[in-house]
Amino acid sequence: MEHLPVLVVIIPLLTVPLCVLLDHPRLAWLAALASSWLSFAAAVGLVLQVSDTGPISYLLGSWEAPWGIEYRIDVLASYVLLIVTAMAALVLFAARESVRKDIPEARISRFYAAFMLAFAGLAGIVATGDAFNVFVFLEISSLATYALISMGKDRRALSAAFNYLVMGTIGATFILIGIGFLYMMTGTLNMADLAARLPEVADTRTVRAGFAFLAVGIGLKLALFPLHLWLPNAYAYAPCSVTAFLAATATKVAVYLLLRFMLQIFGLDFSLVLMPLDTLLLVLGLIGILSASMVAVYQGNIKRMFAYSSVAQIGYMVLGVGLATTTGITSAILHLFNHALMKGALFLALGGIAYRIGSTTIQDFSGLGRTMPWTMAGIVLGGLSLIGIPSTVGFISKWYLVLATLEEGLWPVALLVLIGSILAVVYIWKLVEAAYFGTPEGNPEIKEAPLSMLVPMWALVGANIYFGIHTDLSVGLASRAAAVLTGGAG
Amino acid sequence: MELPGLYNYWVVVFLMMAGFYVVISQGNLVKKLVGLGLFQASVFILYITVGKVSGGAAPIAVEGITSYSNPLPHVLILTAIVVGVATTAVGLALVVRIYEAYGSVEEDEIHAQDLVEDDISEDPPFTESEVGKQ
């Protein structure tokens, strides 16, 4: 049990060479699936252990903490690890059928290898307590992600992957520069040690420059509003299972990095009082919510529409962080969890539709309410959750967000959040209208998506409802994590 | 005294901005990758400079030497160099596949071809192709 923090990362990492060596589509899939469920079990163990005994510190190779690399799992890290591993396990369950259709057979085993590499990288970012290690895992997951995106069928996937590679590398290099500046001033790379030593040297130009580099670098990875340009095409043209995984995890891990670096390492005093990060996040978050939702309304390709909607949802999370109160940060962490559930369900459902129809344009949706009732019902429920209808998870996170803005007396912000929800109604309605009131064109023999894709999708839809009613687990963990970040006892 | 002491940092800033500028301004994908490589290389030099202690020897335990350069940033940057090589490799592999798919490595030509494809899905003829290129 004491090795759980490293097992979460090592299990998927070891599956990567295994998948390549097996070189057999079915065996590689089985290996990936098994290791993702093992990793998920380890994450569940970590959540239990952390809530039992408090933060876990794991010394890699038994080197003492500030010198060696430390894996540190606190409430927030265990929570995000749970999301990442659960999404990987569910998406891989659904992936087999859709991957068989999307990717040439000779490449399938290497596809799973890249998938597991991306997964291991994301889990590593969350588990590690070492700033330089973050950069290494970030690049591991990013490089694997570029390869995954480029495997999309459409040739535009290639240019989307290339653009993401250029922007992602700039972002990661900015993070590297930022970490270098912090190391220059403190001589340490351990996060807890950095947090302890930074206040002494906080008021220097080097630290402020490091902060700026880190903020921009993480903003790029996060797809924060003006830096989001890589995201829509990357999500739209990647294979469906990749989109579902990335939408549910990659940006969430970036939000985690934002919280970790800005609130814990730099500390609230530095990030929010000395540097105007709160105002910046508040304004960019709001612009992101409104502009991306508006663009989403006009998209003809539904995958692209939900990609823009993801940019908007990231705006909600960033807005919560920007409020900088315990309630605000709780709403951000809560939305991180809830958005993973919604977008996981929605993109898996789109994967089912792409599997049967081969495209995801709005025209192809006409009549789908009758030909693929279960898939469409899943999309409608996921969409309701995205809008924030009561008794879905979307409502819970919006509720906390609006509550946090009202606590601060920022009612215009609360109003804009609600306008964002109305825009979500508009683009979800477009889908519903096409699917249920449009007439099926030409192809009457479209069948329901295969069961292996429906089950994980409905598991997520069920989670959307379950956690919308039973909020103890998600809200409890989120508010405890937020209390730790804002310096409370937790 | 200031300038020679900060000489390396001036080089870093110059290389970084030059690389960044190439990435933004060049339409050719291979040249973009060259710029990206330059941009990353500047950060390598930054880290290596950070570790240098003036008058310090290489960090090898030899009698009579008391001042050593800090080896940690140097080791860190070895990792970053590997990452940089991997990034360039993935980037070049993507460029090869883009060339196979589009027959071009110029950003604007690729973009124009994408626009044409979007038009085809709405109206049949090829007439908009010249408009798309501008």
Side-chain angles (χ1 to χ4, degrees):
Chain A
M1 288 300 271
E2 56 169 328
H3 294 297
L4 283 183
V6 77
L7 280 178
V8 174
V9 185
I10 288 287
I11 294 172
L13 200 58
L14 286 181
T15 319
V16 175
L18 190 67
C19 283
V20 176
L21 288 176
L22 286 172
D23 203 19
H24 182 279
R26 199 179 156 79
L27 290 179
W29 173 72
L30 275 175
L33 185 69
S35 87
S36 66
W37 281 94
L38 276 179
S39 189
F40 174 59
V44 171
L46 280 175
V47 170
L48 295 177
Q49 219 172 323
V50 168
S51 52
D52 241 23
T53 60
I56 307 168
S57 165
Y58 181 89
L59 305 175
L60 276 193
S62 302
W63 294 92
E64 279 296 313
W67 300 282
I69 291 172
E70 178 195 17
Y71 276 16
R72 199 176 167 75
I73 316 283
D74 55 7
V75 181
L76 179 63
S78 69
Y79 191 55
V80 178
L81 271 179
L82 188 72
I83 298 170
V84 172
T85 53
M87 294 315 298
L90 283 172
V91 169
L92 274 171
F93 192 86
R96 189 167 161 253
E97 290 290 326
S98 89
V99 165
R100 243 191 355 202
K101 197 142 189 174
D102 279 353
I103 290 162
E105 188 167 329
R107 288 204 200 128
I108 288 183
S109 55
R110 270 168 283 164
F111 169 85
Y112 286 119
F115 192 101
M116 293 315 278
L117 198 57
F119 170 35
L122 292 175
I125 296 172
V126 182
T128 189
D130 183 280
F132 194 79
N133 220 219
V134 165
F135 164 74
V136 175
F137 276 124
L138 189 70
E139 283 294 48
I140 288 177
S141 74
S142 304
L143 286 170
T145 307
Y146 309 145
L148 284 174
I149 291 169
S150 74
M151 289 190 197
K153 264 186 178 166
D154 197 305
R155 64 176 179 178
R156 273 170 288 189
L158 295 170
S159 38
F162 188 84
N163 279 337
Y164 184 21
L165 179 128
V166 169
M167 291 179 112
T169 305
I170 290 172
T173 309
F174 269 39
I175 292 175
L176 182 65
I177 299 170
I179 293 171
F181 280 163
L182 297 190
Y183 179 76
M184 280 165 94
M185 293 311 288
T186 59
T188 182
L189 290 166
N190 182 287
M191 286 182 183
D193 211 23
L194 270 174
R197 284 165 193 252
L198 267 179
E200 267 176 60
V201 289
D203 206 16
T204 55
R205 196 177 292 164
T206 314
V207 173
R208 271 178 270 156
F211 177 84
F213 273 115
L214 277 168
V216 175
I218 295 173
L220 258 167
K221 284 284 162 192
L222 187 65
L224 181 61
F225 162 67
L227 307 171
H228 68 279
L229 293 170
W230 57 268
L231 188 141
N233 275 343
Y235 280 17
Y237 300 121
C240 285
S241 36
V242 173
T243 309
F245 180 64
L246 288 183
T249 58
T251 45
K252 309 296 168 293
V253 170
V255 173
Y256 166 84
L257 271 187
L258 182 76
L259 291 169
R260 189 59 88 208
F261 270 99
M262 298 311 159
L263 301 184
Q264 206 161 29
I265 294 182
F266 284 102
L268 282 173
D269 285 341
F270 183 81
S271 302
L272 306 179
V273 181
L274 232 60
M275 306 293 269
L277 187 73
D278 49 348
T279 330
L280 196 70
L281 291 182
L282 209 67
V283 172
L284 292 182
L286 274 178
I287 300 177
I289 293 170
L290 295 177
S291 66
S293 301
M294 236 140 13
V295 176
V297 172
Y298 293 105
Q299 294 302 313
N301 181 342
I302 302 305
K303 252 172 117 181
R304 222 175 133 87
M305 182 186 98
F306 280 129
Y308 271 107
S309 143
S310 276
V311 176
Q313 302 296 318
I314 290 159
Y316 289 113
M317 289 173 230
V318 166
L319 184 63
V321 181
L323 289 169
T325 57
T326 312
T327 325
I329 292 166
T330 307
S331 82
I333 299 172
L334 202 57
H335 200 51
L336 195 149
F337 178 73
N338 293 344
H339 181 240
L341 295 182
M342 305 170 199
K343 277 288 150 60
L346 286 170
F347 278 117
L348 280 182
L350 285 185
I353 288 170
Y355 180 78
R356 284 296 182 219
I357 303 180
S359 113
T360 52
T361 56
I362 187 91
Q363 290 90 350
D364 294 311
F365 267 69
S366 26
L368 275 190
R370 257 154 288 166
T371 45
M372 300 178 78
W374 285 97
T375 310
M376 268 320 294
I379 290 190
V380 170
L381 284 176
L384 289 180
S385 188
L386 200 62
I387 296 164
I389 302 291
S391 90
T392 60
V393 286
F395 174 71
I396 309 292
S397 40
K398 291 236 169 85
W399 171 262
Y400 274 88
L401 185 58
V402 170
L403 208 64
T405 52
L406 293 180
E407 260 176 20
E408 293 289 286
L410 293 168
W411 61 267
V413 175
L415 201 69
L416 289 174
V417 168
L418 294 178
I419 290 176
S421 279
I422 293 171
L423 286 171
V425 174
V426 176
Y427 59 73
I428 297 295
W429 176 251
K430 256 179 54 175
L431 268 186
V432 172
E433 192 181 8
Y436 289 95
F437 300 101
T439 43
E441 279 169 32
N443 239 338
E445 66 267 38
I446 297 167
K447 284 200 301 265
E448 184 54 83
L451 197 64
S452 68
M453 301 178 83
L454 278 179
V455 169
M457 191 264 284
W458 270 94
L460 283 172
V461 171
N464 265 300
I465 312 267
Y466 179 83
F467 289 112
I469 299 168
H470 303 275
T471 57
D472 296 348
L473 177 72
S474 53
V475 175
L477 281 172
S479 60
R480 264 175 37 225
V484 172
L485 284 174
T486 50
Chain B
M1 277 314 284
E2 269 284 283
L3 187 69
L6 295 177
Y7 175 70
N8 270 19
Y9 293 104
W10 285 110
V11 172
V12 169
V13 171
F14 177 76
L15 282 180
M16 190 184 289
M17 289 305 118
F20 203 35
Y21 179 75
V22 171
V23 173
I24 294 170
S25 66
Q26 285 296 329
N28 184 306
L29 301 185
V30 178
K31 289 182 184 167
K32 261 185 196 297
L33 282 179
V34 171
L36 205 60
L38 200 59
F39 179 63
Q40 288 181 306
S42 74
V43 183
F44 305 160
I45 300 177
L46 172 75
Y47 266 70
I48 293 166
T49 310
V50 168
K52 173 69 183 161
V53 174
S54 58
I60 304 167
V62 178
E63 238 173 275
I65 291 175
T66 48
S67 174
Y68 298 111
S69 287
N70 181 357
L72 182 68
H74 300 170
V75 179
L76 290 179
I77 223 55
L78 268 181
T79 315
I81 289 171
V82 173
V83 168
V85 171
T87 308
T88 312
V90 173
L92 287 174
L94 280 174
V95 171
V96 169
R97 288 199 46 206
I98 287 174
Y99 184 72
E100 282 169 5
Y102 289 88
S104 166
V105 291
E106 294 291 333
E107 203 174 34
D108 44 355
E109 287 173 19
I110 293 167
H111 189 61
Q113 289 191 31
D114 280 345
L115 283 183
V116 172
E117 207 163 285
D118 284 343
D119 284 340
I120 290 171
S121 55
E122 278 156 34
D123 350 89
F126 248 76
T127 47
E128 302 294 304
S129 64
E130 292 312 306
V131 182
K133 276 189 179 155
Q134 280 157 15

